[in-house]
Amino acid sequence: MGNSRVRIIVSIAAMLLLAKVSIGAEALKLRHFQSVYADDKEAGFRSPEGVGCDGKGHILVADSGNGRLVRFTLIDGKAMPDKEIKVPELSFPVRVHTNSKGEIFALDGRQKRVVRFSPGGGFLGRVDAAGSPPPSTVIPRSFDIGKDDSIYLLDVFEGRVLMLSPEGKFLKSIYFPAGYEVISDLAVDGKGTIFLIDSVKAMVYVAAKGSGKFSPLTESMKEGMKFPATITTDAHGNIYLADKNGGNIYIIGQDGSFKGEQLTMGWKEGQLRYPCQLCVNDKGEVFVADRDNNRVQIFSTVR
Amino acid sequence: MRYRVSFAIFFILVFLSAAAAFPADVYRLKPGAKGKICTNCHVDFQDKLKRPFLHTPVKQGDCSDCHNPHTSSHGKLLEADPYRICLRCHEEIVPKKAKSTHKVVVEGKCTSCHDPHSADNKWNLLKAGNELCFGCHKDLGQAVKKARFRHSPVEKGCLNCHDPHASEKFGHLLKTDVPGLCTNCHKADKPAFTRQHSGYPVAKARCTSCHNPHGSEKAAIMYANVHRPVLSKMCNQCHESPSSQTPFKVKSPGYELCRGCHSKMVNETFGKNQLHWALVGKDGCLACHTPHASSEAALLKGPMITVCGACHADTIKRQESSLAKHEPVNKGECTECHSPHASDVTLLMKNPSVNDLCGSCHGWGKHTSHPIGEKVRDQRNKNLNVNCLSCHRSHGTPYKKMVPFATATDLCVQCHKQ
C-alpha cells in the first residue's frame, strides 16, 4: 500500500517536472490590471486601433474613431490622461509610436501616411520616405521605430520594408519574403531585428539587422490562430501577436518557440474583441488597443 | 561430425519431398472455388457476365481476388477497404506528386464512376462519355448544354482535355497546360488568329483568362462578363504595345493601372477611413478581380465566398461549423453587409449602425422587448451600447441563434448579475 502511494507521488512529481520542462521556464501569462476608457473629460474612446508606450511612463492611444491621439502618464500604475492631440493632418490614427527624443509618430489610416509630432504634441510634418527607389507610390500599412530612432515603414504597395533615417530619408529596403500572402504588421526589437506577421498564413518572418532578406521564423500557426494582424516585441526578446479575429494574444520566443496563448474573446475586462496594436513597456506591462470594446487594456506579465 | 552433416542432408531431403508432395492448393479447393462456383449461388451474376466489358478478375473467375469467401470486416465481404483493393492492381492511377487530383479518386470512391464487375461501357464506366461527368458536375453540364457557342472538344468528351484521375503536372486535371492544350488545335501563326488578338502574342498567354473552354453565350466563347477594353480590343489601354519587348507588361503597378478608368471608385475608396488592404497590395485590384473576363459579376476571380475565403478562411470556417446559418454568409453574399473596397466603419461594414444594418433584413424591433439602441448602455462596458452584436455573432457560433454562449442563462448573466 505504502509502496504504491510512493510510486504515485513519484510519477506525479515526474509528470509535473516534465510539464515544466516542456512548457519552458519562460512561459508567460497576462494578468489584467487596468482598462482605460476615456480622456480627462470622460470623452470615451471610439474604435481605438493604436496604442504606443515609451520608457518615460507615457501611453499614447490612437483613438481612431474620434480622430485623435490621447496621451496618458502612468502614475503609481494608474493611467492618468494628460494631453489630447487632434489636428487636421491626422484624421484617423491607427498606429502610434515614439522615438528616444519623445517625438510622436502616428499612421493616418485615411491619408495613408505617417506624421510626426513634437513631444508636446506640435505637428512637425509627414514622413515622406524621401529618396526611396521606385515606385514612387508608398502605402504604409504599419510602421515601427528602432532603438536608434530609425523609422521602418511597411510598404504594402511594393511589398517591402523601407528603412529610413530618423529624419525620414531612405536608407535601405527589404522585400517581403517569397510566397507571402498578407503582411499586416512589422516590429523591430532592440537589436534591430525586423519581424513581419503574415495574417493569412499565421506565420512570422524575420530579418536580422544587416540582413537583406526575410526568412520564416515559424511554421504556419493557423491551427491555433485565426487572423493574427499585429506584432510587437519586448525587452526580453518575446514576440507578441494579437489574433484579431480570435480575440487572443499569442506569445512566442525569438526562436519561434510557443510561449503561451492568452486571453479570450469577450466584452468583460480582461477579454478582447478585435485587438489591434500592442505595445510592451520596459516594465513588461502589455498594452492592447481593444478596438471593438472601445478601450485600451493594460496587463502585467507573470512568469 | 560426419553424422551431423548426414542428418542435416536427410532433413532437407525430407522437407523438399514433402513440399513436392503437397499441391499448390494446400486447402484442396474444389475446381473453380476462386470464383466460378460462386455463381452457383449468385445466379443473378450471370447477367453481369454477359456485359461487354468485364473487370479482369471477373473475366478470370477470381472473385477471391477482391472478396473473402468466409468472413470480412468490410461490406460485401470485401478483403479490405475498397480503395486499397483497387490500388493493389491500379497503383499508378494517382502520381505521387500530382499537381491536381479528382476528389472522388482521392476519397477512394472508385465505384462512383466504375462498376467493379462489368459494364456496358469501356473501362467499366457506369455511364458513357460526358453523361458520367455531368452526373456530379451538374451546373457545368447544364451550362454546356445551354451554351450558344459551343467548344467542340467538350462535345466530344471531357477526357479530351482532362485526365479523370489526376494530373501530374497541371491544375484542373488537365492533360497539358494552357495555352499548349489550346494551340494543339488553334494555330496561333495564322493571320486571322493574330488579327483577332490585336497582334499580341497570346499563344504564350493564358487563353482561359478570356475564353470559357466549356462554351459560352458570348461569341468566341468569351466569359459572360468581359472587361470593356478587352471587348473593344483595346489591350494597349493597360498593356504595352504588342510590338514591344514586353507586350504583356502593364503600364502601371497595382491599383494605379485601374485608377486610369476607375478613378471615381478609387478616389472614393481612398477617402474612407478603413481600406481593404488587399486593394493596395502588390496585386492591386487583381487580388479579387480578373482583368479580362469572368463568369462572375464584377469580374470577380471566382464565386464571392471563394474569393473572400482565400484570405478570410477562418471567418468562412466559423459559419460552416455554426449551428445556425446566417443566410447571406451561407449564400456567400459577403457584400450584403460589407463594402469590399473601403468603409468608414470597422470591419468594412456598410452601415455605421449595427442595428440598422441587421434591421434591413431582420425586424429586430419586434424581435424582443429587451432594450436596444444607441441610448442603451451595455452593462459590461461603459463605452458600448446594446446592439445586435451584443448578443449575436453574425458569422455564427457553435450555439443556437448565433449566440456566443452555450445557454440563455450564460448570456443573460453577462449583464444581469443579480
Side-chain angles (χ1 to χ4, degrees), chain A residues 37 45 49 92 109-110 112 137 139 141 156-158 226 245 265 267 273-274 291-295, chain B residues 253 255-256 270-271 273-275 277 280-282 314 344 347 380-384 389-390 393:
Chain A
Y37 289 88
F45 297 148
E49 294 198 16
F92 193 76
R110 189 185 184 101
K112 282 120 202 125
T137 303
I139 299 194
R141 179 167 184 175
V156 289
F157 183 74
E158 182 59 7
K226 292 188 168 68
N245 292 3
M265 175 169 264
W267 292 258
R273 284 171 66 225
Y274 297 96
R291 189 191 71 188
D292 278 24
N293 279 326
N294 291 337
R295 66 188 171 199
Chain B
Y255 73 89
E256 286 182 342
F270 275 75
N273 288 337
Q274 301 277 350
L275 177 68
W277 288 101
V280 292
K282 208 162 185 186
D314 63 298
D344 279 330
L347 299 168
R380 295 167 292 188
N381 179 329
K382 62 182 179 181
N383 271 1
L384 295 175
L389 297 181
S390 303
R393 290 200 73 192

Side-chain angles (χ1 to χ4, degrees), chain B residues 22-206:
Chain B
F22 274 104
D25 182 1
V26 292
Y27 303 112
R28 298 185 184 181
L29 292 172
K30 281 184 177 177
K34 284 191 173 177
K36 278 180 186 154
I37 60 168
C38 300
T39 52
N40 292 348
C41 294
H42 298 277
V43 283
D44 55 340
F45 203 77
Q46 292 294 347
D47 292 340
K48 292 192 178 182
L49 291 173
K50 286 175 194 160
R51 288 179 181 164
F53 296 95
L54 296 179
H55 194 196
T56 308
V58 175
K59 200 190 286 179
Q60 293 171 347
D62 287 336
C63 304
S64 59
D65 270 10
C66 302
H67 300 279
N68 186 311
H70 304 122
T71 175
S72 168
S73 305
H74 304 275
K76 300 177 198 294
L77 285 180
L78 284 170
E79 274 253 300
D81 176 73
Y83 188 43
R84 285 182 184 279
I85 291 179
C86 301
L87 284 183
R88 280 182 196 168
C89 297
H90 305 281
E91 198 181 9
E92 304 297 324
I93 210 79
V94 178
K96 273 182 186 158
K97 287 181 180 171
K99 174 92 175 171
S100 57
T101 49
H102 198 184
K103 195 171 169 234
V104 283
V105 178
V106 177
E107 287 173 349
K109 295 174 182 166
C110 307
T111 52
S112 297
C113 299
H114 301 279
D115 188 310
H117 299 121
S118 65
D120 294 326
N121 309 298
K122 208 176 169 186
W123 299 310
N124 278 16
L125 289 173
L126 296 175
K127 287 178 186 169
N130 290 356
E131 200 191 341
L132 178 68
C133 308
F134 295 154
C136 291
H137 301 277
K138 288 192 174 80
D139 289 349
L140 183 60
Q142 290 291 326
V144 166
K145 211 176 273 181
K146 278 189 202 163
R148 201 169 141 217
F149 297 92
R150 297 179 177 194
H151 194 199
S152 65
V154 182
E155 306 270 291
K156 287 177 192 159
C158 307
L159 303 191
N160 266 322
C161 301
H162 300 282
D163 186 310
H165 301 116
S167 176
E168 189 176 5
K169 293 179 183 165
F170 312 109
H172 306 285
L173 300 176
L174 285 174
K175 287 178 169 177
T176 310
D177 206 7
V178 176
L181 188 64
C182 312
T183 53
N184 281 342
C185 299
H186 302 275
K187 299 301 169 199
D189 53 356
K190 287 189 175 172
F193 186 94
T194 313
R195 211 169 38 248
Q196 281 293 324
H197 295 97
S198 309
Y200 279 89
V202 292
K204 293 173 194 159
R206 198 155 185 90

